[in-house]
Amino acid sequence: MEQNKIPQATAKRLPLYYRFLNNLQIQGKTRVSSKELSEAVKVDSATIRRDFSYFGALGKKGYGYNVEYLLGFFRKTLDQDELTDVALIGVGNLGTAFLNYNFTKNNNTKIVCAFDADPNKSGTEIGGVPIYHIDELEERLGNVKVAILTIPAMEADRITERLVSKGVKGILNFTPARISVPDDVRVHHIDLAIELQALVYFLKHYPLEMKEEIL
Amino acid sequence: MEQNKIPQATAKRLPLYYRFLNNLQIQGKTRVSSKELSEAVKVDSATIRRDFSYFGALGKKGYGYNVEYLLGFFRKTLDQDELTDVALIGVGNLGTAFLNYNFTKNNNTKIVCAFDADPNKSGTEIGGVPIYHIDELEERLGNVKVAILTIPAMEADRITERLVSKGVKGILNFTPARISVPDDVRVHHIDLAIELQALVYFLKHYPLEMKEEIL
DNA sequence: GTGAATATGTGAAAAATATCACGACTTATC
DNA sequence: GATAAGTCGTGATATTTTTCACATATTCAC
Ligand SMILES: NC(=O)c1ccc[n+]([C@@H]2O[C@H](COP(=O)([O-])OP(=O)(O)OC[C@H]3O[C@@H](n4cnc5c(N)ncnc54)[C@H](O)[C@@H]3O)[C@@H](O)[C@H]2O)c1
Ligand SMILES: NC(=O)c1ccc[n+]([C@@H]2O[C@H](COP(=O)([O-])OP(=O)(O)OC[C@H]3O[C@@H](n4cnc5c(N)ncnc54)[C@H](O)[C@@H]3O)[C@@H](O)[C@H]2O)c1
């Protein structure tokens, strides 16, 4: 693939930049500096310039970046024109929230089908997404390569194995289980309980000094 | 505070270790090695040993770690005995999911109150947590120092300001807005749309080589 | 035009994080 | 009690990420 040399830390920030640039364009702004971007997305301006520089010289010295050009560039880079289909497994509290939320608003991903073990849920739909019984996973999944996991932790390993057998290559895992996958499958863990605990830990153990604010 | 020298990357992993150790104890295991831990939490064993070493010598060479001792140590370190009160702002799709979920299962945090702008929601409760109208924020918040933000992005800045004025020091922000806070307030952003986009980006641009799996 | 202000792109340095690899010690076995 | 196997703790090293700081180019006001 094109540029394997883009640091992961940079890649993770790209969608953030894209979203903000999109907002700028809607607001009718035509140019933006790394400093302005920095204040908006809370990333150091040098880091932003460095991030952009991996893709070549996108800006102009003394001017900044042209919003339309930059946006167009990122649209291609982030494949914002192709829609990636996503499956959601586990239509409980979290899963229902995700189905109701329209991920496609400003986005290139779409949940196209959902699965649950509860027979009362299968056959219905939420937010326009059909819900099937988990037994139908193999036949209904089709060619979907990305899955969101919002099932009980106990079920995570078993379902993961089925997803992987069916060719899923990316999993966004909301269960506390650390699932095992082959090396060609990528898992991103989002562990909400841990995020909350870590925040509390930082508050108690890393007192931030009160610096001078603009009063 | 005690140990300001613990790297942030380490601190973020502590709740993960704690949870796994807790499971081990429930299963009746008395000892564990960094290698076993590594396989379970998917963190390199050297990293685990290094993480633990910031707290001193917790293990025994040739033996590993005593589960009970280690767990007790982390319980103290992570303040698992004190309960931290948390407020939730925005009882919509996501907020409702969090209220229904019992964060206290294996945890030292508890959502004690929720707020919403919708008058139909205020006065009710979900998962035993009372929901107040957002107008009552200042009078009902009490001494809560941590808040979860699940409101529309447009509202984020205004509500953040009110939370900060009331003394909130930690915010778990689920809105796409990058909020501004004084230096003594800590914000953790959890941006689900971006997580999904980043996962898709990695899949398309960082093909993982299929290494030999145990067949 | 000219000078002041602005802002990029990047070499170099710093900081943070992860990993290697091995000495030292423990446990288990016979 | 000697030998083998197992495992920690950590110095050293590697990798990744962030930040500094400035030469260079552009814009803007007059
Ligand atoms: N809700 C939260 O706020 C929250 C916070 C942190 C972590 N989590 C984690 O997210 C996951 C989902 O949480 P939740 O609150 O939505 O749980 P939930 O119990 O509300 O939903 C789980 C859903 O999965 C379905 N299910 C169970 N087994 C299944 C299977 N084998 N195949 C398909 N579907 C199956 C259930 O029918 C249910 O609808 C859990 O692992 C939980 O630990 C949730
Ligand atoms: N649901 C998801 O899957 C998802 C995914 C990614 C991001 N998000 C983000 O999370 C946030 C919440 O999403 P949601 O799907 O739960 O939205 P939602 O619209 O279902 O819920 C928002 C809630 O906030 C309340 N609210 C509005 N203004 C308020 C105010 N000033 N004070 C207090 N409450 C107020 C509304 O009454 C509503 O109940 C949004 O910023 C959204 O972009 C959600």
Side-chain angles (χ1 to χ4, degrees):
Chain A
M1 311 263 152
E2 312 113 80
Q3 296 286 76
N4 271 33
K5 9 188 186 325
I6 286 146
Q8 300 225 352
T10 295
K12 284 193 192 169
R13 284 186 291 262
L14 296 183
L16 185 59
Y17 299 145
Y18 179 76
R19 186 162 64 200
F20 185 68
L21 288 170
N22 214 38
N23 289 344
L24 282 185
Q25 198 183 43
I26 289 166
Q27 286 163 37
K29 287 207 61 164
T30 58
R31 68 183 262 192
V32 67
S33 69
S34 61
K35 189 150 165 286
E36 287 173 272
L37 266 168
S38 170
E39 277 153 26
V41 302
K42 316 286 183 209
V43 172
D44 186 88
S45 68
T47 301
I48 292 178
R49 292 200 299 284
R50 173 81 61 198
D51 283 348
F52 289 1
S53 78
Y54 293 117
F55 298 99
L58 302 177
K60 233 192 233 177
K61 301 188 181 188
Y63 174 87
Y65 301 91
N66 178 287
V67 171
E68 183 148 344
Y69 176 75
L70 202 53
L71 191 61
F73 184 84
F74 278 125
R75 180 178 297 121
K76 274 179 289 161
T77 302
L78 290 172
D79 310 295
Q80 288 292 326
D81 295 326
E82 340 169 5
L83 203 62
T84 299
D85 290 345
V86 177
L88 183 142
I89 324 291
V91 187
N93 291 312
L94 265 192
T96 303
F98 295 158
L99 291 181
N100 281 318
Y101 187 73
N102 193 349
F103 266 117
T104 52
K105 255 177 207 162
N106 166 11
N107 215 312
N108 57 339
T109 53
K110 188 182 178 191
I111 302 176
V112 293
C113 57
F115 298 89
D116 200 288
D118 182 346
N120 295 321
K121 286 177 181 160
S122 43
T124 66
E125 63 176 50
I126 296 180
V129 179
I131 302 167
Y132 304 114
H133 193 272
I134 188 69
D135 289 348
E136 297 180 57
L137 183 68
E138 281 73 12
E139 61 189 280
R140 298 281 194 180
L141 194 58
N143 200 31
V144 172
K145 294 284 178 244
V146 180
I148 299 175
L149 225 54
T150 48
I151 52 180
M154 292 289 299
E155 307 288 331
D157 274 320
R158 204 147 40 84
I159 298 293
T160 297
E161 207 177 318
R162 288 172 65 184
L163 290 170
V164 169
S165 315
K166 200 64 180 44
V168 165
K169 296 295 181 200
I171 295 176
L172 202 56
N173 176 28
F174 286 88
T175 79
R178 256 31 187 193
I179 56 185
S180 302
V181 293
D183 285 338
D184 66 335
V185 176
R186 186 178 277 269
V187 179
H188 284 203
H189 293 279
I190 301 185
D191 202 318
L192 302 175
I194 280 187
E195 297 287 346
L196 191 55
Q197 280 191 280
L199 176 62
V200 169
Y201 180 81
F202 281 123
L203 286 183
K204 293 205 179 168
H205 298 265
Y206 292 67
L208 302 165
E209 69 278 25
M210 179 59 148
K211 290 192 198 144
E212 61 294 336
E213 281 298 299
I214 308 99
L215 296 174
Chain B
M1 307 263 156
E2 311 114 83
Q3 295 286 74
N4 272 32
K5 8 188 188 320
I6 287 144
Q8 299 222 356
T10 295
K12 285 193 192 169
R13 285 187 289 262
L14 296 182
L16 185 60
Y17 298 146
Y18 178 76
R19 186 163 64 200
F20 186 68
L21 288 170
N22 213 41
N23 289 344
L24 282 185
Q25 199 184 41
I26 289 166
Q27 287 163 36
K29 285 207 61 162
T30 58
R31 70 184 259 195
V32 66
S33 70
S34 61
K35 188 150 166 289
E36 286 174 273
L37 265 168
S38 170
E39 279 153 26
V41 301
K42 315 287 183 207
V43 172
D44 186 272
S45 67
T47 301
I48 292 178
R49 292 200 299 282
R50 173 79 64 198
D51 283 347
F52 288 1
S53 78
Y54 293 115
F55 298 99
L58 302 176
K60 232 193 234 177
K61 301 185 181 189
Y63 174 86
Y65 301 92
N66 179 286
V67 172
E68 182 147 343
Y69 176 75
L70 201 53
L71 191 62
F73 185 83
F74 279 124
R75 180 177 296 121
K76 272 179 289 160
T77 302
L78 291 172
D79 311 293
Q80 290 291 327
D81 294 326
E82 335 169 8
L83 204 62
T84 299
D85 289 345
V86 177
L88 182 140
I89 325 291
V91 187
N93 291 312
L94 265 192
T96 303
F98 295 157
L99 291 180
N100 280 318
Y101 188 73
N102 194 350
F103 267 116
T104 51
K105 257 176 205 164
N106 166 12
N107 215 314
N108 57 340
T109 55
K110 187 181 180 192
I111 302 176
V112 293
C113 58
F115 298 89
D116 200 288
D118 182 346
N120 294 321
K121 286 177 179 159
S122 43
T124 66
E125 63 176 49
I126 295 180
V129 179
I131 302 167
Y132 303 114
H133 193 272
I134 188 69
D135 290 348
E136 298 180 58
L137 182 68
E138 281 73 12
E139 61 189 281
R140 298 283 193 180
L141 194 59
N143 199 31
V144 172
K145 293 284 176 244
V146 180
I148 299 176
L149 224 54
T150 47
I151 53 180
M154 292 288 300
E155 308 288 331
D157 273 320
R158 201 147 42 84
I159 297 294
T160 297
E161 208 177 315
R162 288 171 67 184
L163 289 170
V164 169
S165 314
K166 199 67 180 48
V168 165
K169 296 295 180 200
I171 296 177
L172 203 56
N173 176 28
F174 286 89
T175 80
R178 258 30 188 191
I179 56 185
S180 301
V181 293
D183 285 339
D184 66 335
V185 176
R186 187 178 276 268
V187 179
H188 283 201
H189 293 279
I190 303 185
D191 202 318
L192 303 175
I194 281 187
E195 297 286 348
L196 190 55
Q197 281 191 279
L199 176 62
V200 169
Y201 181 82
F202 280 124
L203 287 183
K204 291 204 180 170
H205 298 265
Y206 294 67
L208 301 165
E209 68 278 23
M210 179 59 149
K211 292 194 199 141
E212 61 293 336
E213 280 299 298
I214 310 100
L215 296 174

